[in-house]
Amino acid sequence: MYHLTFVIIVVTSSLAFAAEEKARGFDSPDAAFRAYITGAVMEDFDLMLSSLTRESKAYHIALSIFSARFLFGEDPAMQKALRDHGVPSTFDADEEGKQHDARLVDAILKIKNPGELMKKIADRHHELARQLAQSDSPGVASKRLTRKEQLAVISSYVLENVTVTGSSAPRMIGRS
């Protein structure tokens, strides 16, 4: 009896884990678009990334890493965050072509908890902007939107004139 219970627990645990790892599906292009906009505005980067193709997800993650290295290259806390998430110190950029692009996407998608890493980068950006605003340095101050402002931004975007071909749709973003 104990062995059977253990087997059931192991099987159901692995099924739950596999379900969590499965890519999120959306009922419509509008649902995927809403997930992207909501995730971006609310800084829920896991939600935002869940609405993207593999290549688009890798692109967004790579942009975050690039901005972190550019803005916070010497910041020990950011360097630690990048290391903790498994970000390689360099990506091979010597090759060109589709095989190289596929290997680059694969390498970026191996980064652990990319949504969490993107959140850390955004938080550090907001902190740096706050410090610059306090020091009277010229530049744009960054403040987080209130919940009401976030909802207003999210609702101001609409998806129009979308044609779905296979499992993808062209970029058609409109703002009301």
Side-chain angles (χ1 to χ4, degrees), residues 66-114:
F66 173 78
S67 70
R69 286 191 172 150
F70 181 76
L71 294 171
F72 316 114
E74 303 301 317
D75 180 15
M78 186 52 63
Q79 290 175 358
K80 181 181 180 333
L82 292 172
R83 275 192 315 275
D84 289 350
H85 286 272
V87 176
S89 57
T90 62
F91 291 100
D92 181 19
D94 292 337
E95 314 179 41
E96 292 183 18
K98 289 184 180 183
Q99 285 185 335
H100 173 260
D101 293 347
R103 283 196 298 274
L104 190 57
V105 166
D106 289 343
I108 291 170
L109 293 178
K110 287 180 183 172
I111 293 169
K112 298 177 261 181
N113 302 316

Side-chain angles (χ1 to χ4, degrees), residues 17 43 45 50 61 70 95 123 131 152 156 167 171 176:
F17 180 77
E43 295 184 1
F45 298 110
S50 75
I61 295 166
F70 181 76
E95 314 179 41
D123 289 346
Q131 289 174 6
S156 71
S167 63
R171 290 184 208 169
S176 60

Side-chain angles (χ1 to χ4, degrees), residues 21-39:
E21 290 297 306
K22 185 180 175 186
R24 201 178 274 183
F26 295 94
D27 294 336
S28 67
D30 188 62
F33 176 75
R34 290 275 147 229
Y36 179 85
I37 294 295
T38 301

